[in-house]
């Protein structure tokens, strides 16, 4: 739409003389005046921005989400949910570090904002497509250029029963299983890099008849997912390192209520990518790189041992396989 005029010429004084109108200019002049006259009321009647859906309640930040409301404690970053079905569940315990007293909390059209002057952090809580989105950003005023934040802390609700995370083909692990809480499973006490140890940067929990999904922004770079079993029961802690050198000064996490199904967190992550316009298609990839089209109908396999040698590839060709994606882990002897 054309930009509305901001400077309206003043009407000429009586002493001013106008040149006689040329044929055909009268209608144009009248139309222009009408356009100016019509534009003025539109500018005056411009609607104010819609109020923020986020509100403050007893010092907590309340954000509407699909299936209920999320309640954030700015002093500790603890997050709870009040489902539409009733009750209250814990989505995250407080951050493990002492954040110090938060600065003044403000509410604007984009959500709630506050800061932690002692740690040099700015924080915000917003509603994003039915989810709670919390962003913590390290500022130049931080004392430690490589400080950490251990949060969210999940799986601590008494009704939590399983953690789901995309390792390999995906795992759903009971939180109170004797094997998985033991050293034999190799899970308790493990730190998994979300950018490389997980297929995708999210995890989920089953909480009673509901579920919760947690997604980390920037592909999880700079963030570890830790498995804790101090009490003989698994829980999770995400630890993010703020580093200017690594470009990880911003840490964003989305929280969503889901169903209890093992794939609910994965479905929520896919939906989030779709809503953000980040879910690509094979057609788009082929348009960017026509060579990708050769993979349609191709086999997909991982090999090891002698399967990594040229003779194995030649044998596949003899068997009539002309298109195949082969992958293997390099170990110094490819």
């Amino acid at each position: 739409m054309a930009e509305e005029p901001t400077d309206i010429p003043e009407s000429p004084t009586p002493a001013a003389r106008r040149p006689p109108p040329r044929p055909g200019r009268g209608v144009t002049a009248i139309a222009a005046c009408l356009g100016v006259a019509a534009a003025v009321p539109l500018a005056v009647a411009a609607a104010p921005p819609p109020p923020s859906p986020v509100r403050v309640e007893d010092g907590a930040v309340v954000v509407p989400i699909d299936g209920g409301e999320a309640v954030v404690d700015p002093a500790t970053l603890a997050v709870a949910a009040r489902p539409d079905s009733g009750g209250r569940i814990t989505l995250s315990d407080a951050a493990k570090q002492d954040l110090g007293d938060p600065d003044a909390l403000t509410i604007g059209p984009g959500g709630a904002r506050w800061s932690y002057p002692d740690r040099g952090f700015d924080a915000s809580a917003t509603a994003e497509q039915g989810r709670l989105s919390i962003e913590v950003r390290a500022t130049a005023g931080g004392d430690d250029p490589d400080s950490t934040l251990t949060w969210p802390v999940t799986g601590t609700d008494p009704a939590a029963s399983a953690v789901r995370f995309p390792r390999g083909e995906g795992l759903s692990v009971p939180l109170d299983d004797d094997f998985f809480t033991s050293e034999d499973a190799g899970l308790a006490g493990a730190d998994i890099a979300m950018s490389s140890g997980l297929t995708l940067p999210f995890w989920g929990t089953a909480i009673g008849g509901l579920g919760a999904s947690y997604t980390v922004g920037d592909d999880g770079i700079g963030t570890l997912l830790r498995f804790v079993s101090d009490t003989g029961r698994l829980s999770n802690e995400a630890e993010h390192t703020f580093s200017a050198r690594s470009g990880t000064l911003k840490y964003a996490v989305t929280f969503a209520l889901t169903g209890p199904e093992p794939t609910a967190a994965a479905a929520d992550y896919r939906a989030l990518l779709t809503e953000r316009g980040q879910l690509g298609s094979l057609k788009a990839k082929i348009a960017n790189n026509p060579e990708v089209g050769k993979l349609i109908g191709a086999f997909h396999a991982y090999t090891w041992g002698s399967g990594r040698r040229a003779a194995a590839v030649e044998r596949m060709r003899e068997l009539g396989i002309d298109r195949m994606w082969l992958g293997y882990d390099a170990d110094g002897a490819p």
Side-chain angles (χ1 to χ4, degrees):
M1 184 173 66
E3 196 171 1
E4 295 180 358
T6 56
D7 297 324
I8 301 176
E10 297 181 355
S11 299
T13 61
R17 293 180 60 86
R18 293 182 180 175
R22 297 178 184 176
R25 293 189 62 189
V27 175
T28 304
I30 293 172
C33 291
L34 289 176
V36 171
V40 173
L42 288 176
V44 173
S52 172
V54 179
R55 69 182 192 276
V56 176
E57 182 181 294
D58 297 329
V61 177
V62 181
V63 180
I65 59 176
D66 288 346
E69 293 179 327
V71 183
V72 183
D73 180 5
T76 65
L77 285 179
V79 183
R82 296 192 294 225
D84 291 337
S85 56
R88 184 183 179 101
I89 60 177
T90 299
L91 297 183
S92 172
D93 276 351
K96 289 296 183 178
Q97 293 85 359
D98 181 7
L99 299 173
D101 294 332
D103 208 344
L105 175 66
T106 61
I107 298 291
R113 297 186 180 277
W114 65 95
S115 62
Y116 302 101
D118 293 346
R119 293 296 306 274
F121 291 162
D122 288 337
S124 65
T126 58
E128 181 183 353
Q129 300 290 337
R131 300 173 185 83
L132 164 67
S133 176
I134 295 182
E135 180 179 298
V136 180
R137 185 185 296 268
T139 65
D143 296 331
D144 186 353
D146 288 340
S147 60
T148 61
L149 175 64
T150 305
W151 172 89
V153 179
T154 67
T156 60
D157 190 282
S161 58
V163 57
R164 285 78 185 257
F165 54 102
R167 191 178 190 182
E169 297 179 351
L171 294 172
S172 178
V173 174
L175 298 181
D176 57 359
D177 186 276
D178 291 339
F179 171 73
F180 285 107
T181 57
S182 68
E183 294 182 359
D184 295 337
L187 193 58
D191 288 347
I192 301 177
M194 297 198 69
S195 60
S196 57
L198 298 183
T199 308
L200 300 166
F202 74 87
W203 74 99
T205 56
I207 309 176
L210 296 172
S213 172
Y214 309 87
T215 297
V216 175
D218 293 332
D219 295 327
I221 297 174
T223 306
L224 301 173
L225 184 62
R226 178 173 298 133
F227 290 80
V228 180
S229 181
D230 293 338
T231 61
R233 176 181 166 87
L234 282 177
S235 61
N236 292 97
E237 301 171 357
E239 182 178 278
H240 182 79
T241 299
F242 297 91
S243 171
R245 295 185 299 272
S246 301
T248 57
L249 294 179
K250 183 184 74 173
Y251 180 40
V253 182
T254 63
F255 299 71
L257 284 177
T258 69
E261 302 81 14
T263 58
D268 179 68
Y269 178 71
R270 179 182 176 86
L272 180 63
L273 291 184
T274 301
E275 292 156 6
R276 290 177 173 175
Q278 297 175 337
L279 187 65
S281 65
L282 184 59
K283 183 181 295 186
K285 291 178 181 178
I286 294 174
N288 292 330
N289 181 5
E291 292 295 306
V292 175
K294 297 179 180 179
L295 296 177
I296 297 178
F299 289 96
H300 180 138
Y302 291 90
T303 60
W304 62 91
S306 61
R308 297 181 298 177
R309 302 181 185 277
V313 176
E314 291 298 331
R315 177 58 178 156
M316 293 177 190
R317 287 178 175 172
E318 293 173 2
L319 294 173
I321 299 174
D322 58 0
R323 286 178 296 171
M324 192 165 193
W325 185 97
L326 291 176
Y328 63 89
D329 292 329
D331 58 3

